[in-house]
Structure formats: structure tokens, C-alpha cells
Amino acid sequence: MIKVAVAGALGRMGREIIKAICEQEDMKLVAGFERKGHEDRGKDIGELIGLGTLGVKLSTADEMDNVLKETKPDVFVDFTIADACVNNVKIAAENKVNLVIGTTGFTEEQKKEILETIEKNNVAAVISENFAIGVNIFFKVVEFLTKYLKDYDIEIIEMHHRYKKDAPSGTALKIAEIIKSNRDVELVFGRYGKCERKENEVGVHALRGGDVVGDHIVIFAGDGRG
Ligand SMILES: NC(=O)c1ccc[n+]([C@@H]2O[C@H](COP(=O)([O-])OP(=O)(O)OC[C@H]3O[C@@H](n4cnc5c(N)ncnc54)[C@H](O)[C@@H]3O)[C@@H](O)[C@H]2O)c1
Ligand SMILES: O=C(O)C1=N[C@H](C(=O)O)CCC1
């Protein structure tokens, strides 16, 4: 049985992840964490998210070290916010729990800190800005087109729900990173006023509204001479 702990348990993703864990025969939710001071601390997580009683009480971030020591999960899944995740990962890794990190919005320093924590504690980790299979295939398509359509201008547009806390999305930044590692480009985050497009620019544009789950568009614009 794979024992799983989830941080961000009552968030949009956390709830879905817990439902998915409960549907697996070889997985068991052993702990769920929310931010310090959460009003539902101590309540049954299953009851909170409409799954019926699971026998796992909601814990808060300040209890994480003790709860991980008691419940000994095999995997710690984090879908929270960047600042919280850095700290959560430290506590989980020091308890030798393997990691799945889906949180986005990290600074370069935070990414470095997370990688150092993982290395120092010698735990396994899967980190992805987007776990959707289709999006991972899309990454490969973008890489191919960036190499193939050498003199086309590239622009990235993403749209997400109004609740999203980081912009641009982790996925848009990953797409930008893929383009950058295949072409000498400079990223421009939005445009306003006098800003004629330079040849090597890639614009990254974030839209927010409603309950949009997540759309990513990459435009390759040629000038019709090819
Ligand atoms: N990698 C992917 O495939 C993927 C997909 C969707 C979302 N995300 C990312 O996952 C993260 C969460 O997204 P969401 O839509 O579920 O957000 P959300 O705001 O609905 O949920 C985040 C939850 O984390 C909780 N939280 C805050 N601090 C915490 C702490 N210290 N310990 C435990 N819990 C804490 C919040 O109270 C909240 O309930 C975001 O960074 C988002 O970009 C990644
Ligand atoms: O809903 C979100 O938040 C999402 N975040 C990820 C990102 O920032 O790329 C993945 C898509 C959904």
C-alpha cells in the first residue's frame, strides 16, 4: 500500500488528488494539510470534501513535522503556493518522504532551494508545472516547431480562472524555457505603449477570468514569404 500525504488538501487540486487517491486500490491517504490556522483543522477530510468519513483528520502546516513522523507516508504531494511549498518540501524531505510537486510560481532562488533540499536529503521527486499528458506532448510539439520554424515570431498566451495566484502560469514559463533553450530569444512579459517587437522577442501574456481551467496558446507567426 502506498501511503500518501497531501498538502493543500482543501484546495482546488488537493480535493481532486484526494478523490483520485481514494479510487486507487493500492493507495491510502494518511494525512492532509492546510495552512496554519485553518478553521477546519481536526475535522475529517473525507467529510469536508464530500467523500464520507475517511478517518483522516485535517492537519495544519505547523503540525506537519509531527504528523509525518506519526503517519510515515511514502509520498508527499504538494499543490499549495510557492512560499508554503518551499517550507513543506523541507519538512517532508527531512522526514525522508518522497515528493510530488505540482505547485507553481517559484522564484529562481526558491527552485534552487527545493532542488538542494531534495539532493541533501536524498529523496525521490517528481516536479512538473503541468501533469496533463496532452500538455507534455504539447511541450514536445513546441520544441519541434521552435527548431523547424526558425524565423517565425513566437508569442505565448495563457488564460486561467480568476482564483489563480501566480502569473504567468508555470506551464507558460515552461513553454518559454523550452523555446529559450532552442533559440536565442528574450522574453517580454506583456506589452504596453511604445514597444516595437524586436526580432528575437517572445511575448508571454497572461489572462485571468471566470473558472477557466487552463488554456495555453503558442502562436508561430510567419511573414508569408516562406
Ligand atoms: N502541476 C500541475 O499540473 C498543476 C495543475 C493545477 C494547479 N497547479 C498549481 O497547484 C497550486 C495549487 O493550485 P489550486 O488551484 O489547488 O490552488 P488553491 O488556492 O485552490 O489551493 C491551494 C491550497 O493550499 C493551501 N495552503 C496554503 N498554504 C499552505 C501550507 N503551508 N500548507 C498546506 N496547505 C496550504 C490553501 O489554503 C489552499 O487551500 C498552484 O500553484 C497551481 O498553479 C499545478
Ligand atoms: O489552475 C492552475 O493554477 C494551474 N496551474 C498550473 C500552471 O500554473 O501552469 C497548471 C495549469 C492549471
Side-chain angles (χ1 to χ4, degrees):
M1 191 61 76
I2 302 167
K3 296 197 286 176
V4 189
V6 176
L10 300 187
R12 292 161 66 92
M13 287 302 292
R15 289 167 186 258
E16 295 304 320
I17 290 162
I18 290 172
K19 283 179 195 157
I21 291 166
C22 293
E23 284 166 9
Q24 309 306 310
E25 280 176 11
D26 60 347
M27 286 190 190
K28 186 176 166 34
L29 181 78
V30 294
F33 299 99
E34 260 299 332
R35 61 182 158 69
K36 187 179 170 190
H38 198 285
E39 56 279 14
D40 291 324
R41 177 188 168 270
K43 294 187 187 158
D44 188 281
I45 295 175
E47 285 168 19
L48 288 169
I49 66 173
L51 290 179
T53 307
L54 285 179
V56 181
K57 306 266 180 244
L58 183 74
S59 307
T60 47
D62 48 317
E63 302 172 294
M64 200 172 277
D65 189 40
N66 283 341
V67 173
L68 293 182
K69 283 186 168 59
E70 276 164 29
T71 56
K72 297 187 182 3
D74 302 298
V75 184
F76 182 92
V77 181
D78 192 291
F79 281 71
T80 59
I81 47 168
D83 291 351
C85 179
V86 176
N87 201 41
N88 293 348
V89 159
K90 231 174 243 171
I91 299 170
E94 280 166 7
N95 279 286
K96 300 290 173 208
V97 188
N98 299 308
L99 303 161
V100 174
I101 303 173
T103 301
T104 58
F106 299 112
T107 62
E108 288 307 313
E109 291 72 38
Q110 286 176 324
K111 282 187 203 169
K112 198 165 159 248
E113 206 178 330
I114 287 178
L115 292 179
E116 281 170 4
T117 302
I118 290 166
E119 209 161 291
K120 185 173 148 206
N121 292 286
N122 198 24
V123 290
V126 181
I127 308 172
S128 179
E129 296 81 357
N130 202 311
F131 282 93
I133 293 170
V135 171
N136 282 271
I137 293 169
F138 185 62
F139 290 156
K140 293 284 174 204
V141 173
V142 170
E143 183 183 350
F144 175 77
L145 291 176
T146 303
K147 286 179 184 163
Y148 192 71
L149 301 175
K150 277 193 178 32
D151 43 4
Y152 279 56
D153 295 334
I154 311 175
E155 296 280 312
I156 303 167
I157 303 167
E158 58 98 337
M159 177 151 188
H160 285 81
H161 50 90
R162 68 161 75 97
Y163 309 103
K164 186 157 176 63
K165 296 189 175 65
D166 54 319
S169 69
T171 308
L173 291 172
K174 174 75 183 174
I175 291 167
E177 188 186 305
I178 291 168
I179 295 167
K180 222 171 178 320
S181 62
N182 286 283
R183 207 193 269 192
D184 183 21
V185 293
E186 192 187 313
L187 302 179
V188 174
F189 296 96
R191 287 196 189 84
Y192 176 76
K194 284 187 182 169
C195 49
E196 195 180 348
R197 194 181 200 287
K198 291 192 209 111
E199 221 175 90
N200 69 337
E201 267 180 24
V202 170
V204 186
H205 311 276
L207 315 180
R208 294 286 175 269
D211 64 353
V212 176
V213 171
D215 292 336
H216 294 89
I217 300 170
V218 182
I219 299 170
F220 288 80
D223 64 5
R225 287 180 302 178

